[in-house]
Amino acid sequence: DTGVSQDPRHKITKRGQNVTFRCDPISEHNRLYWYRQTLGQGPEFLTYFQNEAQLEKSRLLSDRFSAERPKGSFSTLEIQRTEQGDSAMYLCASSLVYTGLAAYEQYFGPGTRLTVT
Amino acid sequence: AQSVTQLDSQVPVFEEAPVELRCNYSSSVSVYLFWYVQYPNQGLQLLLKYLSGSTLVKGINGFEAEFNKSQTSFHLRKPSVHISDTAEYFCAVTVMFRGSNYKLTFGKGTLLTVNP
């Protein structure tokens, strides 16, 4: 299967611990997005990468959050000193965008559900 | 900034009945519009999209949507629903201009429940 994959699917952690999530996009896709979805809400944009460059971060992304895409392939999202308010589904999506033509469709992974106790 | 309003948080219907899920958007620039479906504990799957051209777009699983620029709406419809259509449906927009980041802005979702 060549879809977007995320690992782990579920993570339970205690408040104050650090957690890291991984996203593997569709192999030829150059853009990678992170979204957060809380209960009863639609996904909200967190950040995105064009290849390895992080081009935009939402105000939702506090200093405790950091994302990387070191070789322009997989990406990691780390949350330091987790808080109960960080409990959410973290979704990764990828797309292919290149000069003169944009693929507007974003392909989503299954998400990582984080529970902070 | 753009925004999306999904007017119904829950829509219960009986199997084989028609359904319409409503979506209105707000934006100062032209937009692309999408409908995604999310089954329990899964990611989002694209149902259909409007980029340009015909205002009536057809998607997967028998769904269609109509773009109405004057009413800033993009309602989703299906003439006959199945039990398997039970899921959360999200309307989303992204703005179209050169250099756009194409990030998606989502509505809060509509839970469609199809009853036998």
Side-chain angles (χ1 to χ4, degrees):
Chain A
D1 183 46
T2 58
V4 178
S5 62
Q6 292 186 246
D7 183 69
R9 293 291 306 277
H10 303 274
K11 179 70 177 179
I12 300 174
T13 190
K14 292 184 178 180
R15 188 178 55 180
Q17 298 294 305
N18 299 343
V19 294
T20 300
F21 310 139
R22 177 179 170 123
C23 171
D24 287 89
I26 293 172
S27 59
E28 65 268 24
H29 284 184
N30 55 358
R31 283 208 179 180
L32 187 147
Y33 299 80
W34 284 99
Y35 294 85
R36 182 172 69 187
Q37 184 179 19
T38 54
L39 203 60
Q41 302 294 319
E44 295 174 290
F45 170 79
L46 291 179
T47 187
Y48 89 101
F49 293 83
Q50 172 96 6
N51 300 313
E52 66 274 10
Q54 187 175 18
L55 298 185
E56 184 174 339
K57 293 192 291 186
S58 161
R59 287 174 292 178
L60 293 175
L61 217 63
S62 75
D63 292 343
R64 297 184 295 105
F65 288 71
S66 62
E68 294 183 341
R69 195 183 183 197
K71 297 182 179 179
S73 57
F74 73 91
S75 176
T76 58
L77 177 67
E78 181 183 16
I79 310 174
Q80 295 182 326
R81 305 181 303 283
T82 52
E83 302 173 355
Q84 287 188 322
D86 297 331
S87 295
M89 173 81 88
Y90 290 83
L91 294 163
C92 175
S94 70
S95 68
L96 178 62
V97 178
Y98 51 94
T99 302
L101 184 65
Y104 309 106
E105 180 171 341
Q106 292 183 21
Y107 294 82
F108 282 81
T112 294
R113 182 170 295 283
L114 172 66
T115 302
V116 182
T117 62
Chain B
Q2 62 273 22
S3 65
V4 176
T5 302
Q6 291 186 242
L7 298 161
D8 305 296
S9 59
Q10 296 186 49
V11 173
V13 294
F14 287 109
E15 194 174 16
E16 298 183 5
V19 70
E20 179 179 80
L21 307 183
R22 297 180 291 170
C23 171
N24 287 88
Y25 69 92
S26 173
S27 176
S28 58
V29 297
S30 296
V31 297
Y32 298 126
L33 294 153
F34 306 83
W35 275 98
Y36 283 86
V37 61
Q38 185 176 37
Y39 298 100
N41 299 315
Q42 294 187 27
L44 281 74
Q45 180 184 7
L46 182 69
L47 277 177
L48 48 78
K49 62 190 176 193
Y50 173 78
L51 305 182
S52 64
S54 172
T55 57
L56 182 64
V57 293
K58 295 187 183 297
I60 62 172
N61 301 339
F63 284 93
E64 63 181 31
E66 185 158 19
F67 170 58
N68 188 319
K69 189 175 182 179
S70 63
Q71 297 187 6
T72 60
S73 68
F74 190 54
H75 300 334
L76 181 70
R77 296 191 290 259
K78 186 169 182 178
S80 176
V81 295
H82 302 289
I83 298 284
S84 59
D85 291 323
T86 295
E88 188 96 32
Y89 291 79
F90 293 95
C91 181
V93 302
T94 190
V95 294
M96 48 181 288
F97 61 86
R98 188 180 179 84
S100 169
N101 57 25
Y102 300 116
K103 68 181 180 184
L104 294 169
T105 299
F106 287 87
K108 291 187 176 183
T110 297
L111 177 61
L112 173 65
T113 303
V114 181
N115 298 302

